[in-house]
Amino acid sequence: AQTVTQSQPEMSVQEAETVTLSCTYDTSESDYYLFWYKQPPSRQMILVIRQEAYKQQNATENRFSVNFQKAAKSFSLKISDSQLGDAAMYFCAYRRGGTASKLTFGTGTRLQVTL
Amino acid sequence: EPEVTQTPSHQVTQMGQEVILRCVPISNHLYFYWYRQILGQKVEFLVSFYNNEISEKSEIFDDQFSVERPDGSNFTLKIRSTKLEDSAMYFCASRDSHSGANVLTFGAGSRLTVL
């Protein structure tokens, strides 16, 4: 079974600084996708960034980027120039390739952004 | 931008009562999912649905749960006889078959409180 591990229950970053959230996963599949979702206090799940396993290039979305290390099965999220609105729970998620296969989430990292 | 819509946003019910949570997925999406998040815990997969049948279900999705797509737009989750431990946020998600990275789009969630 696939597992997703987020070893940091809580992280804190000062506004305008950079923070990295860790995620590791375990799979025997070669075709899969990785995601980071943000869950603000409203509890809606918002996609932050995604990565296809077959792509070597790390995904980037504005201030958000990932460090995808396929051999190490590591998928960390870097948030640059942190803003107060970045404060939320961040969930790493895995999905194997295929039709209806499900997302498997990690336990989440709560990010606090301080002034 | 297209949205997944969930109703009700919050429902309070007595233990043993039936509850139906409703979802309107994005109109051209073909795959549908329900997830559950107990307060303070991770997001857990319940069931996936494609081509008018269940594709996969978790061990949480026991005989008390059922899903239905009664018409071309709604996707419902029914809990026949609610228990205290069913109190959670329930998220509906949908996905089309052509999205490049197989992204699931989540609704804002339905909070269920069982008394």
Side-chain angles (χ1 to χ4, degrees):
Chain A
Q2 293 84 18
T3 58
V4 179
T5 302
Q6 293 181 251
S7 59
Q8 305 155 316
E10 287 192 15
M11 292 285 285
S12 183
V13 63
Q14 281 194 318
E15 201 177 15
E17 297 296 308
T18 296
V19 65
T20 298
L21 308 184
S22 301
C23 173
T24 59
Y25 59 95
D26 186 26
T27 184
S28 58
E29 303 285 340
S30 58
D31 177 24
Y32 57 89
Y33 305 88
L34 297 163
F35 306 85
W36 279 96
Y37 279 87
K38 171 184 178 181
Q39 188 180 45
S42 67
R43 297 189 74 182
Q44 180 153 12
M45 299 291 287
I46 302 166
L47 178 70
V48 175
I49 199 164
R50 61 194 179 204
Q51 174 82 43
E52 294 91 334
Y54 63 84
K55 288 187 177 179
Q56 292 186 336
Q57 187 172 8
N58 289 323
T60 299
E61 288 285 343
N62 301 314
R63 298 182 295 108
F64 299 88
S65 61
V66 297
N67 183 4
F68 175 44
Q69 301 289 326
K70 192 172 183 178
K73 295 180 182 174
S74 171
F75 182 61
S76 60
L77 173 70
K78 185 170 83 170
I79 306 174
S80 304
D81 187 25
S82 297
Q83 300 174 0
L84 294 177
D86 295 334
M89 280 291 281
Y90 286 83
F91 291 96
C92 179
Y94 163 98
R95 183 179 177 281
R96 66 175 171 83
T99 53
S101 58
K102 62 181 188 275
L103 273 177
T104 299
F105 287 89
T107 51
T109 297
R110 182 174 302 282
L111 178 66
Q112 292 184 324
V113 181
T114 59
L115 294 171
Chain B
E1 190 167 328
E3 290 184 341
V4 175
T5 305
Q6 290 186 241
T7 54
S9 57
H10 188 194
Q11 181 160 356
V12 181
T13 190
Q14 296 291 324
M15 191 169 55
Q17 295 297 303
E18 177 183 281
V19 162
I20 297 176
L21 304 179
R22 291 182 168 80
C23 171
V24 179
I26 294 173
S27 61
N28 62 339
H29 284 191
L30 301 176
Y31 302 92
F32 312 114
Y33 305 81
W34 282 102
Y35 285 80
R36 177 182 84 174
Q37 185 183 32
I38 295 171
L39 185 64
Q41 298 186 24
K42 72 175 181 179
V43 181
E44 300 173 292
F45 169 75
L46 290 177
V47 65
S48 59
F49 191 87
Y50 170 70
N51 199 26
N52 285 318
E53 61 182 23
I54 290 173
S55 306
E56 187 178 359
K57 60 183 180 180
S58 72
E59 58 195 26
I60 302 168
F61 194 87
D62 60 22
D63 292 344
Q64 291 300 310
F65 290 89
S66 62
V67 288
E68 195 176 36
R69 190 159 161 80
D71 53 42
S73 59
N74 288 285
F75 177 52
T76 62
L77 174 69
K78 182 192 290 186
I79 309 174
R80 288 190 182 81
S81 178
T82 50
K83 303 188 284 286
L84 295 176
E85 55 263 39
D86 292 328
S87 295
M89 196 78 162
Y90 289 81
F91 292 101
C92 174
S94 69
R95 179 175 71 85
D96 69 32
S97 63
H98 305 297
S99 58
N102 297 274
V103 173
L104 273 68
T105 302
F106 285 82
S110 292
R111 184 188 302 272
L112 176 64
T113 302
V114 182
L115 303 176

